[in-house]
């Protein structure tokens, strides 16, 4: 078979490890592999090149994606879905492996349901908000980067008796905030799933100071919502082709409000795209490699319309539609465990 592969949406540590695995396993199983550049944009344009053992060597540990990526949605382009079909036919593609999050896989799911395009998805996102998989690759690396940052902020917070607010990514899910906050010993973790009251956060910080502690660490997810607010803070930017606004700004708001209300000097650190850059952790390299190899197995079995996923320690396939029905949000039990350590 001739297998196509693409990476779509935000880049994510581990993408190259998946590409490498698809090529190694795919060629071993007798297939040839075409890499499409820049996500669905490259598919629509017929922009691809041959992926080989040679040109995918030495990329396992590298961040980013050798294929490039974009947030292009063929269903938002006039005749886009038809162009995808024509281009895949012209390139002789028998099966396509899109590596992406809810947007990229949403396109894949529609192409399967509406046009019977043979696709097998691989779940990628630092946000870990894709359902029907215990983890997406990239998440663990983002959490490690955020945890390292919190550790460093701890020592400077302590030296200056400051409140440090750390804003992390995650879109509308609090996974990165919760995991890095727990790992970094945060005094408050604010996530989209739990609208928060600023005065309560300030009370917690005051109580810490009364009990002799002179600094505090607050981890806030970019999508966290103040109680009573219409939605999360954003820069008022235009929505992308998938209808997402660019989130961010809650950290700055909190820095000002906490300082004003408590009188304690506060500083904000917005980790931003640092969380997505650089080398993947060993865990993510292994998960990405397993996902890539399993995607080729799914192609061999002609299990199209599915996504490879992690269940406990096993890799399975689930229908893409099921994975995308609802986002995977932080569960109450986990948050309650984290809360025990607040303040
Ligand atoms: O989905 C991954 C993610 O990094 C989110 O956490 C964040 O909201 C968004 O992408 C940022 O997107 P962009 O790269 O377009 O700024």
């Amino acid at each position: 078979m001739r297998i196509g592969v693409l990476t779509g949406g935000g880049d994510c540590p581990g993408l190259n490890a998946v590409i490498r695995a698809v090529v190694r396993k795919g060629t071993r199983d007798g297939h040839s592999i075409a890499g499409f550049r820049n996500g669905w944009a490259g598919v629509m344009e017929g922009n691809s090149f041959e992926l080989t053992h040679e040109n995918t060597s030495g990329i396992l540990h590298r961040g980013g994606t050798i294929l490039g990526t974009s947030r292009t949605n063929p269903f938002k382009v006039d005749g886009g879905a038809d162009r995808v079909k024509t281009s895949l036919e012209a390139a002789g593609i028998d099966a396509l492996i899109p590596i992406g999050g809810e947007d990229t896989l949403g396109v894949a799911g529609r192409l399967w349901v509406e046009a019977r395009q043979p696709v097998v998805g691989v779940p990628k996102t630092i946000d870990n908000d894709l359902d029907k998989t215990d983890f997406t690759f990239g998440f663990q690396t983002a959490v490690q980067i955020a945890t390292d940052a919190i550790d460093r902020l701890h020592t400077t917070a302590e030296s200056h008796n400051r409140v440090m607010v750390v804003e992390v990514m995650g879109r509308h899910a609090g996974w990165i905030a919760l995991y890095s906050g727990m790992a970094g010993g945060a005094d408050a973790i604010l996530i989209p799933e739990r609208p928060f009251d600023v005065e309560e956060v300030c009370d917690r910080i005051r109580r810490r100071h009364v009990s002799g502690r002179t600094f505090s660490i607050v981890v806030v997810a970019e999508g966290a919502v103040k109680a009573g607010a219409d939605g999360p803070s954003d820069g008022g930017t235009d929505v992308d082709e998938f209808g997402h606004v660019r989130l961010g700004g809650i950290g700055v708001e909190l820095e000002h409000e906490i300082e004003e209300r408590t009188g304690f000097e506060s500083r904000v650190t917005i980790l931003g795209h640092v969380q997505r850059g650089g080398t993947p952790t060993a865990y993510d390299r292994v998960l990405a490699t397993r996902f890539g190899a399993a995607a080729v197995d799914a192609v061999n079995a002609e299990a199209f319309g599915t996504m490879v996923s992690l269940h406990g320690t096993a890799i399975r396939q689930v229908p893409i539609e099921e994975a995308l029905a609802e986002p995977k949000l932080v569960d109450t039990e986990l948050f309650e465990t984290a809360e025990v350590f607040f303040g």
Side-chain angles (χ1 to χ4, degrees), residues 111-266:
L111 287 170
W112 168 247
V113 171
E114 294 174 21
R116 277 299 181 255
Q117 287 296 321
V119 295
V120 172
V122 176
K124 162 243 67 160
T125 168
I126 62 164
D127 304 336
N128 197 40
D129 59 352
L130 266 176
D131 204 13
K132 304 293 177 208
T133 183
D134 290 351
F135 290 105
T136 49
F137 73 86
F139 169 65
Q140 223 252 356
T141 304
V143 168
Q144 190 59 55
I145 294 168
T147 305
D148 290 345
I150 295 167
D151 287 349
R152 287 174 187 278
L153 290 169
H154 246 112
T155 60
T156 170
E158 208 167 355
S159 308
H160 286 268
N161 300 339
R162 280 174 174 160
V163 176
M164 290 298 200
V165 178
V166 191
E167 182 183 306
V168 297
M169 283 185 165
R171 197 89 78 180
H172 299 291
W175 292 106
I176 300 177
L178 187 76
Y179 268 66
S180 63
M182 282 179 88
D187 303 300
I189 303 172
L190 310 174
I191 59 172
E193 293 85 343
R194 290 275 182 124
F196 67 92
D197 181 47
V198 185
E199 194 48 34
E200 264 175 38
V201 176
C202 291
D203 267 346
R204 203 174 292 153
I205 294 169
R206 288 187 197 103
R207 280 200 299 274
R208 270 177 62 77
H209 282 241
V210 167
S211 70
R213 261 76 54 91
T214 56
F215 73 95
S216 297
I217 304 280
V218 176
V219 176
V220 60
E222 61 179 3
V225 186
K226 286 184 193 161
D230 287 345
S233 307
D234 61 65
T237 50
D238 292 340
V239 294
D240 67 17
E241 288 189 11
F242 290 94
H244 304 297
V245 287
R246 198 186 306 162
L247 296 176
I250 185 70
V252 175
E253 285 178 38
L254 274 173
E255 178 201 49
H256 295 315
E257 286 193 44
I258 291 173
E259 185 162 306
E260 218 169 82
R261 288 172 191 244
T262 63
F264 302 133
E265 202 181 3
S266 305

Side-chain angles (χ1 to χ4, degrees), residues 2-6 36 40 43 84 88 93-98 111 118-121 299 304:
R2 183 147 179 80
I3 300 175
V5 57
L6 69 93
F36 286 92
W40 292 112
V43 180
V84 167
L88 292 178
I93 302 297
D94 301 298
L96 185 65
I97 301 181
L111 287 170
V119 295
V120 172
V299 168
F304 299 126

